Amino acid sequence: MIRRACRTCGTMQDFRKLNEEERAAVREERKDPRHYVDNLWRCTVRGCLWYQPYLHTDGGGLLPERFREEPAVAE
């Protein structure tokens, strides 16, 4: 994990590398099966869909809604 500024959360957050399914979704969204996705990191805040390259927010974007992790429901 790394700590970076999240463009959608507006604060510093932990990021993790995209998993295989998320990388495939980015390639599909960009309409380029050869798009380089091995250096993309995702914000780990529940409900956040933002991803970005390791060193900067340019080139980032939002994952499709199906990847949104809903907040835990209190019982």
Side-chain angles (χ1 to χ4, degrees):
M1 285 220 197
I2 61 170
R3 193 129 177 104
R4 294 281 184 251
C6 176
R7 192 178 272 186
T8 56
C9 293
T11 56
M12 296 295 283
Q13 299 296 337
D14 289 331
F15 278 68
R16 65 164 175 78
K17 281 191 139 187
L18 295 184
N19 64 33
E20 189 174 326
E21 188 179 356
E22 293 164 338
R23 289 191 307 264
V26 170
R27 284 188 180 115
E28 183 180 312
E29 176 185 315
R30 303 271 174 131
K31 311 255 187 291
D32 182 357
R34 296 175 297 149
H35 182 74
Y36 186 72
V37 294
D38 292 337
N39 194 31
L40 295 177
W41 295 72
R42 178 185 179 170
C43 178
T44 60
V45 171
R46 229 177 234 292
C48 186
L49 296 171
W50 181 253
Y51 68 88
Q52 66 188 45
Y54 180 75
L55 293 175
H56 51 79
T57 58
D58 292 339
L62 296 173
L63 290 167
E65 274 297 317
R66 70 179 186 265
F67 292 103
R68 187 177 302 277
E69 297 173 5
E70 295 300 325
V73 177
E75 292 182 15

